[in-house]
Amino acid sequence: MSRINLRVWLIIPDAEAATVKNTLIRRMGYGDTLADVKKERLFSIDVDSGNPQELAKAFAKELVNENKESYRAYFDGIKFEAGYVPVKVALKIEDGEAISIMYRLRNRLGFQNVRGVEKATVWKLYLKGENPESAAKEIAEGLLINPNKDSYEILGKESSVRVVAAMK
Amino acid sequence: MKIAVMQFPGTNCEYECLVSVKEVGMDGEIFRWNRPAAELSVFDGFIVPGGWSYADRIRAGVIASKEPVMDALREEAAKGKPILGICNGFQILVESGLLPGTTCNGKVEMALAQNVMISNKRIVRRGYYVDWVNIKHDAAPRRCSGSFNLSKGELLQIPIAHGEGNLVTMEKSLIQNLNDEGQVVFRYCDSNGRTTPEFPVNVNGSTENIAGICNPEGNVLGMMPHPERAFFAWQLPPHDLRKHQKDAVGTGRRIFESMKRYIEVTA
């Protein structure tokens, strides 16, 4: 079984990320610590056969609108650039959209090797100060999640395996 | 008796709410989110209408819940003034911690998550849904400001239009507490008042068919259905015979009349 991770981001201005930044700075007091906010969608697709690189391209054709989005694929892990804290937010209740994507890939597009799909949002928090991960934790719990339906993880830079902080 | 109808970027039906307020004999005005929050104190009651405040960015209601005007609304709620949150207004009140409000510290105790329609233990549909639904008043009379005039068990037919109305919580005892304290004000039901847990009766998969709740004090009500869209008889669906009756009124009118009565009684 291998896992294909697709990081997908807008190449046009992201109004949702701008709203999050504005709210954090203007309403929640992060003007001194927060430099910027960006957002990505993350699809993690488990497959039990096939060439992951070819599959990643095929999945991207279905999940990425190249008129407004770009993507990068990773296999059995994921990397993030330096300079920001990546906060992964996902539903901890059943994710209907992820289930629909799996159904679409398997049953309508014929990818019978797809075994599972997870969907998340990665908020990239560009933070100043001594302890950006602590600020990211505070921001996640104060704005980015509702703990009654969402979970979050502050991811390490190099791998999805190392989790710095999390609320499941 | 003056009501502030709150308006955030993306609010809808605020003018219908204002008309409803005036039709039952109250005064009112639209209150934009960026007005000085202190000006709220002159009002006797508040309505947070539906819509898509801030385009539902992050999740429905959360950005509006961080606006300074919501701190002022929290102060007015603490004075016992009535607040009615409709649809997105309900979502805003939940994200603000005003509902269910059992901890008094602003903790977000529940979520209105994405609709999941279940029938025969199978998910048959998800997402945004628009329909006329039946709701049963499950609280005692005079328990809640927005249902002050309603009897327990009274049925109302009111439309819904939302994608995130599925009440979920990770607080283990919350639902039991809401039931024990009479804070469950409305439940989705069929035309005979039966609250079967499956779609289409439970229209969004909400825990225990809950369609509306109030805070422990009863002055803050949040409900997913839109009473302002069922205020006049002419707004009712074609199959409702009252639509064609002279002098008939819509079922949603009862909510606004209740708010008025609550203010009269508690003033």
Side-chain angles (χ1 to χ4, degrees):
Chain A
M1 185 87 75
S2 17
R3 169 162 282 205
I4 298 167
N5 288 304
L6 291 181
R7 283 175 56 188
V8 182
W9 63 90
L10 283 171
I11 53 178
I12 59 173
D14 186 339
E16 186 172 31
T19 300
V20 169
K21 182 181 173 184
N22 273 342
T23 302
L24 288 168
I25 290 174
R26 295 175 56 204
R27 303 296 186 219
M28 297 179 71
Y30 288 96
D32 293 336
T33 52
L34 185 75
D36 202 3
V37 177
K38 290 182 179 170
K39 183 195 75 186
E40 295 184 357
R41 292 189 295 152
L42 176 64
F43 298 99
S44 300
I45 303 167
D46 293 324
V47 293
D48 60 6
S49 62
N51 179 331
Q53 293 195 345
E54 294 300 318
L55 284 170
K57 281 183 193 166
F59 295 153
K61 271 190 182 174
E62 300 304 324
L63 300 173
V64 180
N65 182 340
E66 292 188 355
N67 295 296
K68 62 174 183 175
E69 292 173 322
S70 187
Y71 78 98
R72 191 171 293 155
Y74 297 85
F75 308 102
D76 297 323
I78 192 163
K79 283 184 181 174
F80 292 97
E81 301 75 17
Y84 59 85
V85 181
V87 181
K88 177 183 163 186
V89 175
L91 281 177
K92 64 182 174 190
I93 58 174
E94 189 181 55
D95 187 340
E97 194 182 336
I99 292 170
S100 297
I101 290 169
M102 185 170 84
Y103 180 86
R104 178 153 53 109
L105 292 174
R106 280 179 62 86
N107 301 340
R108 286 175 56 191
L109 300 168
F111 294 106
Q112 293 297 323
N113 48 356
V114 172
R115 288 284 164 242
V117 175
E118 291 174 14
K119 180 184 66 66
T121 301
V122 177
W123 295 97
K124 296 156 62 174
L125 304 176
Y126 294 76
L127 291 156
K128 297 172 265 184
E130 295 281 301
N131 196 345
E133 282 166 355
S134 168
K137 181 175 184 292
E138 203 177 86
I139 288 170
E141 293 175 12
L143 181 68
L144 302 179
I145 69 156
N146 179 324
N148 294 287
K149 70 182 181 76
D150 303 312
S151 64
Y152 81 90
E153 295 173 28
I154 295 176
L155 302 175
K157 296 276 180 281
E158 295 297 325
S159 163
S160 60
V161 177
R162 190 173 78 87
V163 174
V164 176
M167 179 188 280
K168 295 287 186 186
Chain B
M1 197 182 297
K2 197 168 182 183
I3 305 299
V5 179
M6 310 303 294
Q7 185 189 51
F8 294 96
T11 292
N12 73 18
C13 283
E14 65 271 49
Y15 289 95
E16 286 86 339
C17 285
L18 188 57
V19 167
S20 301
V21 161
K22 290 181 176 175
E23 281 286 327
V24 298
M26 298 188 282
D27 194 9
E29 66 181 77
I30 302 290
F31 194 99
R32 288 172 69 100
W33 84 102
N34 54 2
R35 267 173 70 174
E39 291 178 12
L40 273 180
S41 63
V42 302
F43 293 90
D44 303 300
F46 309 90
I47 296 175
V48 189
W52 290 265
S53 58
Y54 292 93
D56 283 353
R57 286 171 189 162
I58 309 183
R59 61 186 179 278
V62 68
I63 300 291
S65 78
K66 305 298 181 193
E67 291 289 349
V69 78
M70 290 308 298
D71 293 330
L73 213 51
R74 207 172 280 117
E75 287 172 19
E76 298 305 312
K79 295 175 190 167
K81 293 183 183 177
I83 300 178
L84 168 61
I86 300 167
C87 195
N88 188 232
F90 185 12
Q91 293 160 339
I92 294 169
L93 296 178
V94 166
E95 289 289 345
S96 305
L98 270 162
L99 285 174
T102 58
T103 61
C104 303
N105 62 3
K107 184 182 178 191
V108 178
E109 299 168 86
M110 54 175 267
L112 290 161
Q114 287 82 355
N115 296 347
V116 180
M117 292 75 160
I118 298 167
S119 180
N120 293 323
K121 297 179 180 172
R122 214 166 53 84
I123 295 169
V124 293
R125 188 178 174 133
R126 300 174 196 278
Y128 191 76
Y129 195 69
V130 179
D131 202 358
W132 284 84
V133 298
N134 295 294
I135 53 173
K136 180 164 76 173
H137 182 238
D138 212 23
R142 303 165 73 95
R143 172 70 180 89
C144 166
S145 61
S147 67
F148 204 73
N149 293 349
L150 300 184
S151 315
K152 182 157 185 169
E154 196 169 332
L155 303 185
L156 303 176
Q157 197 182 31
I158 295 184
I160 57 147
H162 62 254
E164 296 175 40
N166 170 12
L167 191 157
V168 294
T169 180
M170 295 293 153
E171 305 285 330
K172 282 180 186 155
S173 56
L174 179 68
I175 299 298
Q176 190 59 49
N177 287 346
L178 293 179
N179 284 323
D180 291 346
E181 298 302 319
Q183 286 179 250
V184 177
V185 180
F186 294 114
R187 295 184 200 271
Y188 299 108
C189 65
D190 65 15
S191 56
N192 295 311
R194 286 185 296 250
T195 53
T196 49
E198 299 215 319
F199 181 78
V201 172
N202 186 354
V203 77
N204 53 24
S206 187
T207 304
E208 294 194 6
N209 290 45
I210 294 172
I213 60 168
C214 67
N215 64 343
E217 295 76 20
N219 60 315
V220 181
L221 166 66
M223 59 190 293
M224 290 312 297
H226 281 264
E228 80 284 7
R229 297 183 189 177
F231 187 90
F232 297 103
W234 57 262
Q235 291 174 301
L236 298 174
H239 62 261
D240 192 320
L241 297 175
R242 286 169 297 187
K243 187 178 182 79
H244 311 289
Q245 288 169 359
K246 197 179 173 211
D247 300 328
V249 296
T251 47
R253 185 182 181 104
R254 306 271 283 145
I255 305 297
F256 297 93
E257 288 173 340
S258 288
M259 190 180 203
K260 182 187 178 193
R261 185 69 188 139
Y262 175 86
I263 295 170
E264 287 169 347
V265 168
T266 57

